[in-house]
């Protein structure tokens, strides 16, 4: 099974202007731009930015961290404009997360000891959560966060294993991954809510609740209006916990000789949540997932400034056959895919051989449609791009399977998309078992 690496880079929408300007807390500054008109008149433009307006967030990671819970939190909070620092509690920046995913942090946890954060969010995964708990520097940072009345949060195993062990849930309602509920009940008032909020602490259950959890954190930091603004383009589902469904037309069996061989191309600007959902879930299902860079090097910079390092370059991957080729979205990434003659030829051969292929978000409209890969097929895509589909009759569905083609809408449909792929290869029961294990369905 291949592995790929994620390098996280934090940023804010204002950082290009203020990164080199030392400002005291609460200070304001004005930036003046002089622009010459055709009549050579000069105008002065100014704007003021509160130095404290950008919310600072810490996401600690360790070997054995659940990558979905880390990446979804980072992605969603950066969409809201937060300055997210990913900090390794290991001796080095790179950590080996679950399911063959490697993440390279922005900093070591020791570098963050004196920084004031508006939020600290702990991902789960084992043994990652236990390593977080055993990190004395992190424990001190989070205890100070709690003592000073600032927001702290955890998901999956981390509420019970870390926050509970540190005594930070006493008298609080909290939730966690189901198999840790007994441990949690000894340190908190245990709840089975998908996301539990009690004062300045937010907790959640697992990978399948990571989007809900992340949006709850956005609401705490920025308010309901911002949370709704971030949520809309994610294409979230409203019936959290219900069984996933997908529309299927012209059903055929997706068969393979042994373990499904699945190719996931990535490029600069690929949507990291969609890529990691697909890779994580299909590796959980025991498929062999190969991540291939369509760029000239293995490292790519994803849409929310997370660096991914592929297993191989597309040139190396193109010499093999696959039971499925599936494209994540992200508009710049999709535009690179559609310009890749090698990738497009691979997709065309896949279609001609009656073998499965698929795409999510921007990629059905930007890659598959222009190259005739949706001809005679029903499909869906990111809502704002569905007008590019020649047949939009099934576009309102969250996931559409038409024979050997599968398409979906966006980050908020990624879990359903990956589970539908798992179902086509492994059957409904296994896919539902995966969904329950990840706390996506009840």
């Amino acid at each position: 099974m291949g592995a790929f690496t994620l390098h996280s880079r934090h940023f804010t929408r204002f950082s290009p202007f203020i990164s080199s300007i030392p400002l005291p807390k609460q200070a304001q500054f004005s930036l003046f731009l002089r622009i010459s008109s055709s009549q050579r008149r000069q105008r002065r433009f100014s704007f003021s930015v509160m130095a404290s307006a950008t919310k600072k967030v810490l996401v600690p990671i360790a070997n054995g961290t659940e990558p979905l819970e880390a990446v979804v939190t980072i992605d969603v909070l950066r969409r809201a404009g937060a300055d997210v620092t990913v900090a390794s509690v290991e001796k080095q920046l790179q950590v080996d997360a679950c399911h063959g995913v490697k993440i390279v942090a922005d900093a070591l946890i020791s570098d963050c000891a004196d920084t004031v954060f508006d939020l600290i969010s702990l991902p789960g995964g084992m043994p990652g959560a236990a390593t977080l708990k055993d990190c004395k520097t992190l424990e001190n940072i989070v205890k100070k966060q709690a003592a000073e009345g600032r927001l702290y949060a955890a998901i999956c195993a981390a509420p019970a294993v870390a926050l509970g062990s540190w005594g930070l849930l006493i008298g609080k309602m909290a939730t966690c991954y189901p198999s840790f509920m007994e441990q949690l009940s000894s340190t908190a008032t245990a709840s089975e809510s998908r996301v539990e909020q009690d004062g300045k602490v937010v907790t959640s259950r697992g990978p399948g609740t990571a989007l809900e959890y992340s949006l709850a954190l956005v609401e705490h930091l920025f308010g309901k209006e911002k949370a709704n603004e971030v949520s809309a383009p994610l294409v979230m589902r409203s019936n959290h916990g219900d069984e996933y469904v997908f529309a299927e037309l012209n059903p055929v069996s997706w068969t393979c000789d042994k373990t499904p061989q699945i190719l996931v191309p990535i490029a600069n600007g690929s949507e990291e949540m969609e890529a990691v959902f697909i890779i994580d879930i299909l590796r959980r299902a025991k498929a062999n997932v190969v991540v291939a860079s369509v760029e000239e090097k293995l490292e790519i910079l994803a849409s929310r400034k997370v660096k991914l390092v592929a297993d191989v370059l597309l040139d190396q991957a193109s010499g093999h056959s696959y039971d499925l080729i599936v494209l994540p979205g992200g508009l710049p990434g999709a535009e690179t895919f559609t310009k890749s003659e090698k990738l497009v030829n691979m997709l065309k051969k896949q279609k001609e051989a009656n073998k499965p292929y698929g795409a999510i978000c921007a990629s059905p409209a930007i890659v598959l449609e222009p190259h005739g890969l949706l001809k005679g097929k029903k499909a869906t895509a990111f809502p704002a791009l569905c007008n590019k589909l020649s047949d939009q009759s099934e576009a309102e569905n969250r996931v559409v399977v038409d024979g050997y083609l599968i398409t979906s809408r966006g980050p908020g449909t990624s879990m359903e998309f990956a589970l539908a792929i798992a179902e086509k290869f492994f059957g409904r029961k296994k896919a539902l078992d995966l969904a329950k294990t990840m706390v996506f369905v009840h």
Side-chain angles (χ1 to χ4, degrees):
M1 181 182 298
F4 74 105
T5 309
L6 296 91
H7 299 250
S8 303
R9 178 178 297 171
H10 63 279
F11 72 102
T12 77
R13 73 180 101 175
F14 302 121
S15 58
F17 305 105
I18 67 174
S19 60
S20 62
I21 304 175
L23 292 172
K25 190 176 181 181
Q26 303 295 334
Q28 289 188 337
F29 71 92
S30 294
L31 176 68
F32 299 95
L33 300 169
R34 295 189 179 274
I35 303 176
S36 296
S37 69
S38 57
Q39 289 78 28
R40 305 186 66 81
R41 291 181 302 170
Q42 292 186 323
R43 297 178 182 178
R44 186 176 70 177
F45 295 84
S46 68
F47 64 88
S48 295
V49 179
M50 292 297 294
S52 60
T54 301
K55 302 294 186 180
K56 297 182 74 64
V57 178
L58 176 67
V59 179
I61 56 174
N63 292 332
T65 286
E66 166 48 55
L68 266 179
E69 294 162 0
V71 170
V72 170
T73 303
I74 296 162
D75 187 312
V76 172
L77 286 167
R78 285 178 173 168
R79 285 171 181 260
D83 178 358
V84 181
T85 299
V86 182
S88 169
V89 304
E90 307 291 347
K91 293 179 179 178
Q92 65 287 331
L93 291 177
Q94 181 172 303
V95 306
D96 297 323
C98 300
H99 315 298
V101 177
K102 298 185 188 302
I103 304 177
V104 178
D106 306 313
L108 297 176
I109 194 65
S110 56
D111 300 327
C112 304
D114 297 324
T115 304
V116 175
F117 293 98
D118 298 283
L119 163 66
I120 301 172
S121 175
L122 278 57
M126 289 294 285
T131 304
L132 297 183
K133 179 206 61 160
D134 293 336
C135 176
K136 197 65 181 176
T137 302
L138 177 62
E139 179 181 352
N140 291 338
I141 291 172
V142 181
K143 282 184 173 179
K144 182 181 179 183
Q145 184 86 355
E148 295 179 354
R150 293 190 299 276
L151 189 63
Y152 59 103
I155 186 170
C156 195
V161 173
L163 297 186
S165 297
W166 295 335
L168 296 179
L169 297 178
I170 296 171
K172 300 286 188 182
M173 290 283 290
T175 191
C176 69
Y177 191 73
S179 62
F180 288 88
M181 287 293 283
E182 184 177 349
Q183 181 177 344
L184 180 70
S185 64
S186 66
T187 58
T189 303
S191 160
E192 293 188 358
S193 298
R194 294 175 65 80
V195 180
E196 186 63 60
Q197 306 176 49
D198 190 341
K200 293 291 186 179
V201 61
V202 180
T203 51
S204 191
R205 307 214 80 187
T209 67
L211 274 167
E212 300 152 68
Y213 167 74
S214 300
L215 286 167
L217 297 179
V218 170
E219 184 172 344
H220 263 274
L221 287 177
F222 299 98
K224 183 69 172 176
E225 185 177 347
K226 173 60 73 172
N228 289 339
E229 177 189 320
V230 171
S231 175
L234 294 177
V235 201
M236 295 281 289
R237 70 178 192 159
S238 58
N239 55 334
H240 300 303
D242 290 356
E243 283 196 15
Y244 72 93
V245 296
F246 59 89
E248 182 164 25
L249 304 98
N250 305 308
V252 294
S253 295
W254 291 13
T255 58
C256 54
D257 294 335
K258 296 179 181 177
T259 302
Q261 305 296 307
I262 297 174
L263 179 68
V264 181
I266 56 173
N268 292 330
S270 287
E271 189 0 89
E272 49 265 79
M273 273 197 287
E274 293 165 358
V276 174
F277 265 113
I278 294 165
I279 296 157
D280 186 306
I281 292 169
L282 294 178
R283 283 180 174 166
R284 284 172 181 262
K286 305 306 180 187
N288 182 40
V289 179
V290 177
V291 183
S293 169
V294 181
E295 306 292 345
E296 294 181 354
K297 58 182 182 178
L298 293 176
E299 289 192 8
I300 65 98
L301 185 66
S303 61
R304 303 298 155 187
K305 307 305 178 185
V306 175
K307 279 186 180 177
L308 310 178
V309 178
D311 305 320
V312 295
L313 296 176
L314 187 66
D315 281 348
Q316 297 167 278
S318 63
H320 302 275
S321 63
Y322 298 93
D323 299 297
L324 169 69
I325 300 174
V326 58
L327 310 179
L331 185 57
E335 289 171 340
T336 298
F337 292 159
T338 202
K339 294 173 186 174
S340 170
E341 183 178 352
K342 188 177 294 292
L343 177 60
V344 169
N345 286 338
M346 290 177 72
L347 287 163
K348 286 181 175 179
K349 289 177 181 177
Q350 195 82 357
K351 182 178 186 293
E352 290 164 4
N354 288 324
K355 298 178 74 173
Y357 63 103
I360 186 170
C361 195
S363 288
I366 301 300
V367 186
L368 302 187
E369 178 68 41
H371 293 288
L373 292 161
L374 297 183
K375 187 176 182 180
K377 295 289 185 179
K378 308 291 186 182
T380 188
F382 187 71
L385 295 173
C386 280
N387 60 355
K388 295 183 179 293
L389 302 179
S390 54
D391 185 342
Q392 301 170 35
S393 60
E394 298 291 334
E396 291 301 313
N397 289 298
R398 295 174 64 79
V399 181
V400 178
V401 178
D402 187 350
Y404 293 108
L405 169 70
I406 183 166
T407 53
S408 191
R409 310 209 79 185
T413 69
S414 298
M415 178 78 82
E416 297 143 88
F417 180 60
L419 288 169
I421 293 171
E423 178 173 336
K424 290 301 295 180
F425 280 116
F426 300 102
R428 179 77 176 176
K429 183 181 183 303
K430 181 161 185 176
L432 279 177
D433 286 346
L434 276 172
K436 291 173 183 176
T437 298
M438 301 180 78
V439 204
F440 185 63
V441 304
H442 300 307

